[in-house]
Amino acid sequence: MIEVHCHCGHFFSAPDSLAGGIANCPSCGKAVEVPGLRDPFWRVLVAGAVVLWVGVTAAVGVAAGPAAAVLTGLILAGVLWLISRAL
Ligand SMILES: [Zn+2]
């Protein structure tokens, strides 16, 4: 469930399936945007994770060679994938 804050001051929970969509506030009945995976914050987070991934992989490549960089890149990609699945 996702916590939604309506403009009328009422807090309510919306099902995860409505993430990034619209839910009706049970208090005032108006449509409220549900924060979710498709909101701008999420896109910034994904972009930051990709930049971090490329940066760390490149740094390992310089410090420990291309083979270590490929290994680190694969491990980080797996970790980021697991995190994205958990969210
Ligand atoms: Zn409301």
Side-chain angles (χ1 to χ4, degrees):
M1 299 293 271
I2 301 162
E3 191 78 358
V4 182
H5 187 195
C6 179
H7 309 290
C8 71
H10 186 74
F11 280 96
F12 64 99
S13 292
D16 292 338
S17 58
L18 288 177
I22 298 286
N24 285 315
C25 173
S27 179
C28 68
K30 285 184 181 171
V32 191
E33 278 184 44
V34 180
L37 303 183
R38 281 159 283 179
D39 67 8
F41 174 73
W42 175 253
R43 290 172 196 218
V44 170
L45 206 69
V46 169
V50 170
V51 169
L52 190 77
W53 173 50
V54 172
V56 169
T57 304
V60 170
V62 169
V70 169
L71 192 67
T72 305
L74 287 174
I75 292 170
L76 277 176
V79 168
L80 290 174
W81 180 77
L82 283 174
I83 292 172
S84 72
R85 296 289 295 174
L87 286 173

